[in-house]
């Protein structure tokens, strides 16, 4: 059965008395620079396929942009809506990816494994020449962009996964993934009251601890933006638009958590973060595809996204966003998202 969400198990796949359980990805092959994988790092050989709606894909878009990999790793963008046949390129002319010449991402999965029947997810990396899926290993992909593609990083690219902080980044990422990134899904797709409440309390308990942490430090680990900030932020930026109402994560809105709200605004206003976000597509996907949660398919108009441009005051905590590096330049014209407008 095709998965009907970014990396989720199907609604029927439940364990632990109604708890949502995320299935592992199907293709976790890595692209490496040291010969340890059948897929070597090579410019223009691969195409990164994402959806603007998906937080897991958003991570890859941000990291690719911060590192300046646009010239060597092209970007294909599916539309926000899909059906049982998987993510579809319905925003492109002729409803086909202009490079891979496929209508559904599933076609690349079947080229890699003709007998594949599992979930089709983004982000995914596809070899352009063969149009075969290489990997949909979303957890490792961004780390490899930082560590395996260094020969093609732009001048001034930040170090998002510095060696001396990796143990701490990995530890923080594990809790954030369990209780926040995946935690919102555990709330939204729980099918029992107990499972929902466990996920709810774990989510907000972690957000409270993060608020305490950010009260005295600008970034999650160290004094610069790292992989840890990227992973946390993609959930925070979607919180009020989707997770608060649609997934019943409704103790508070992000705008009602002052420290986290300021942190989220700080990153939204940082090049490479807010300029990857399309709130229209985010809401179209969640409210339009999750018919088990929103049977009508009606997409809410609000909340107003422009408040993310309000001053955040976080610079007074110190920190250097890009360390010894520099901000990325503007995104390529074909990758630009709509400017924020009042709801």
């Amino acid at each position: 059965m095709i998965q009907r969400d970014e990396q989720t198990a199907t609604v029927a796949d439940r364990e632990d008395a109604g708890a949502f359980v995320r299935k592992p990805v199907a293709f976790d092959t890595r692209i490496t620079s040291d010969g340890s994988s059948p897929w070597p790092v090579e410019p223009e050989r691969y195409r990164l396929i994402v959806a603007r709606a998906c937080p897991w894909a958003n991570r890859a878009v941000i990291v690719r942009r911060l590192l300046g990999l646009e010239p060597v790793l092209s970007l294909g963008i599916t539309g926000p809506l899909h059906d049982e046949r998987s993510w579809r390129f319905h925003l492109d002319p002729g409803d086909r990816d202009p490079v891979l010449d496929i209508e559904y991402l599933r076609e690349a999965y079947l080229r890699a494994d003709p007998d594949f029947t599992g979930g089709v997810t983004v982000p995914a990396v596809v070899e352009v020449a063969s149009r075969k899926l290489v990997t949909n290993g979303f957890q490792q992909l961004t780390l490899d962009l930082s560590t395996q593609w260094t020969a093609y990083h732009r001048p001034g690219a930040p170090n998002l996964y510095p060696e001396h902080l990796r143990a701490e980044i990995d530890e923080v990422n594990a809790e954030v993934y369990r209780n926040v990134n995946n935690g919102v899904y555990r709330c939204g797709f729980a099918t029992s009251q107990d499972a929902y409440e466990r996920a709810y309390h774990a989510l907000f308990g972690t957000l409270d601890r993060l608020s305490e942490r950010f009260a005295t430090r600008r970034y999650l680990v160290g004094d610069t933006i790292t992989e840890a900030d990227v992973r946390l932020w993609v959930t925070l930026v979607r919180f009020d638009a989707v997770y608060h109402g649609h997934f019943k994560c409704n103790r508070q809105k992000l705008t009602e958590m002052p420290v986290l709200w300021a942190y989220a605004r700080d990153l939204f206003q940082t090049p490479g973060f807010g300029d990857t976000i399309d709130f229209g597509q985010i809401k179209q996907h969640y409210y339009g595809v999750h018919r088990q949660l929103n049977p009508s398919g009606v997409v809410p108009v609000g909340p107003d996204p422009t408040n993310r441009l309000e001053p955040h005051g976080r610079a007074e905590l110190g920190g250097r966003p890009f360390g010894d590096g520099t901000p990325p330049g503007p995104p390529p014209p074909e990758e630009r998202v709509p400017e924020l407008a009042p709801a």
Side-chain angles (χ1 to χ4, degrees), residues 139-208:
Q139 295 284 44
Q140 186 63 40
L141 174 58
T142 50
L143 300 180
D144 284 343
L145 292 179
S146 284
T147 61
Q148 302 298 310
W149 290 75
T150 53
Y152 302 102
H153 289 182
R154 66 178 175 86
N159 187 349
L160 300 176
Y161 197 46
E163 287 194 37
H164 70 287
L165 293 176
R166 286 181 187 178
E168 184 178 1
I169 290 172
D170 292 347
E171 181 181 6
V172 168
N173 283 348
E175 181 178 6
V176 166
Y177 172 77
R178 181 176 60 251
N179 295 334
V180 181
N181 300 145
N182 198 44
V184 294
Y185 288 87
R186 291 170 58 218
C187 290
F189 289 111
T191 57
S192 75
Q193 190 68 33
D194 285 347
Y196 162 68
E197 291 187 14
R198 286 196 301 272
Y200 175 98
H201 291 301
L203 166 65
F204 282 101
T206 301
L207 292 179
D208 288 342

Side-chain angles (χ1 to χ4, degrees), residues 33 67 104 107 174 250 273 286 306:
S33 60
L67 299 178
Y104 289 92
E107 296 172 48
N250 58 358
F273 285 82
Y286 282 92
T306 60

Side-chain angles (χ1 to χ4, degrees), residues 48 58 138 142 173 247 257 279 311:
L48 174 63
N58 195 181
F138 70 105
T142 50
N173 283 348
F247 279 179
M257 294 181 269
F279 284 109

Side-chain angles (χ1 to χ4, degrees), residues 95-107:
D95 295 334
R96 304 185 74 83
D97 179 84
V99 172
L100 301 176
D101 191 30
I102 58 176
E103 182 177 4
Y104 289 92
L105 181 55
R106 182 176 182 79
E107 296 172 48

Side-chain angles (χ1 to χ4, degrees), residues 4-64:
R4 294 191 60 79
D5 194 58
E6 289 85 355
Q7 303 293 335
T8 63
T10 60
V11 175
D13 292 323
R14 299 288 186 255
E15 297 178 7
D16 191 21
F20 165 75
V21 178
R22 186 175 297 279
K23 285 186 174 181
V25 296
F27 297 83
D28 59 359
T29 306
R30 295 175 59 194
I31 300 171
T32 62
S33 60
D34 60 3
S36 61
S37 163
W39 299 100
V41 169
E42 187 176 318
E44 301 181 38
R45 179 171 178 174
Y46 308 102
R47 186 161 175 82
L48 174 63
I49 305 300
V50 302
R52 294 289 188 193
C54 172
W56 319 103
N58 195 181
R59 293 176 359 181
V61 174
I62 292 169
V63 170
R64 170 181 174 270

